[in-house]
Amino acid sequence: MNIKEPLLMPFQNLPFNGDGNIVDNFLMLKNKYNISVVIETGTCLGYTTKWLSDNFKRVKTVEVSALYYDIAKTNRLSGKDNIMMVLGKSEEKLKSMLIDTDDTIIFLDAHWGNHCPLEQELDIISEIGIRPCIVIHDFFVPDHQELGYDSYKGQPFTYDWLKDKFVKIYGAKGYEYFYNDKAEGAMRGVIYLMPKK
């Protein structure tokens, strides 16, 4: 029996809050980097997680809210044997979820309200020593004021804010990145980081 779902955000019943451009970019990264595994922080209600499990070999996802975890597991992820679900804070669980491979997309989307583990998540990736593709949702996109983004304690999610952490993961000249320049659905900014081949 399904659990009644709260209304949390626009387009919550679609992967990536209704943004088909993110879908296209995930599939592009999958093909370019031969990616089979996605690690997601912030399962929420599981709509993005379900899409990931339908399009990648394995998915590992972590959710801090026991209610959202239960909703996602019961309402749409039950029986999906290629998903590993973890309940807890991403900054405490991510290290054990990371696998020793570069052929991974890590989708960082656990920030919500006063809970913003983004810096800690990037530190953990750096400590593990892998060079995955990283996708961060709700990111500030220069010259695109129509795209929404998050802030934490007055600090917008910007490239300059996190650049030092990106360098620790990839090296100063070991990565490239791009932003979305268009969006659908909830109209959120996204940054995509990739190791240079």
Side-chain angles (χ1 to χ4, degrees):
M1 185 174 180
N2 282 2
I3 303 171
K4 185 177 180 181
E5 300 186 7
L7 181 60
L8 302 174
M9 64 194 83
F11 305 97
Q12 69 182 28
N13 63 330
L14 297 170
F16 306 107
N17 301 109
D19 197 333
N21 298 289
I22 303 177
V23 166
D24 292 344
N25 283 325
F26 262 72
L27 295 176
M28 177 275 293
L29 292 173
K30 175 185 177 181
N31 293 328
K32 182 174 181 180
Y33 292 90
N34 194 28
I35 289 170
S36 59
V37 179
V38 177
I39 296 172
E40 174 192 42
T41 65
T43 314
C44 199
L45 303 179
Y47 288 96
T48 296
T49 315
K50 182 180 184 303
W51 181 89
L52 292 170
S53 75
D54 290 339
N55 288 277
F56 291 84
K57 186 175 179 180
R58 286 190 296 148
V59 177
K60 298 180 180 184
T61 184
V62 58
E63 173 55 48
V64 69
S65 163
L67 174 61
Y68 301 164
Y69 176 94
D70 288 342
I71 290 171
K73 186 172 186 178
T74 301
N75 290 9
R76 65 196 44 86
L77 304 181
S78 177
K80 303 286 282 182
D81 59 7
N82 66 333
I83 301 176
M84 182 184 87
M85 294 186 69
V86 177
L87 176 62
K89 294 181 178 180
S90 62
E91 62 269 35
E92 296 174 357
K93 302 294 184 177
L94 182 59
K95 186 172 184 178
S96 64
M97 295 169 63
L98 291 173
I99 55 175
D100 188 18
T101 178
D102 295 336
D103 301 328
T104 304
I105 297 175
I106 301 178
F107 181 47
L108 301 179
D109 196 23
H111 36 270
W112 181 268
N114 293 324
H115 183 236
C116 182
L118 187 52
E119 291 180 285
Q120 297 99 310
E121 291 169 340
L122 292 168
D123 286 338
I124 291 165
I125 295 167
S126 174
E127 290 166 12
I128 293 293
I130 61 173
R131 298 171 70 245
C133 294
I134 298 173
V135 180
I136 306 175
H137 203 226
D138 308 304
F139 212 84
F140 174 76
V141 178
D143 302 320
H144 283 277
Q145 294 182 359
E146 75 278 11
L147 301 180
Y149 58 90
D150 282 0
S151 299
Y152 179 61
K153 294 184 177 178
Q155 170 61 61
F157 289 12
T158 64
Y159 176 81
D160 287 341
W161 176 46
L162 298 171
K163 180 180 178 180
D164 289 346
K165 297 188 182 296
F166 301 153
V167 169
K168 284 184 180 179
I169 292 169
Y170 299 105
K173 297 183 179 179
Y175 70 103
E176 51 194 355
Y177 69 95
F178 68 93
Y179 304 103
N180 59 325
D181 57 6
K182 57 184 177 179
E184 302 171 334
M187 300 291 292
R188 305 298 288 177
V190 183
I191 189 171
Y192 301 83
L193 300 108
M194 302 137 291
K196 281 187 179 176
K197 287 197 165 188

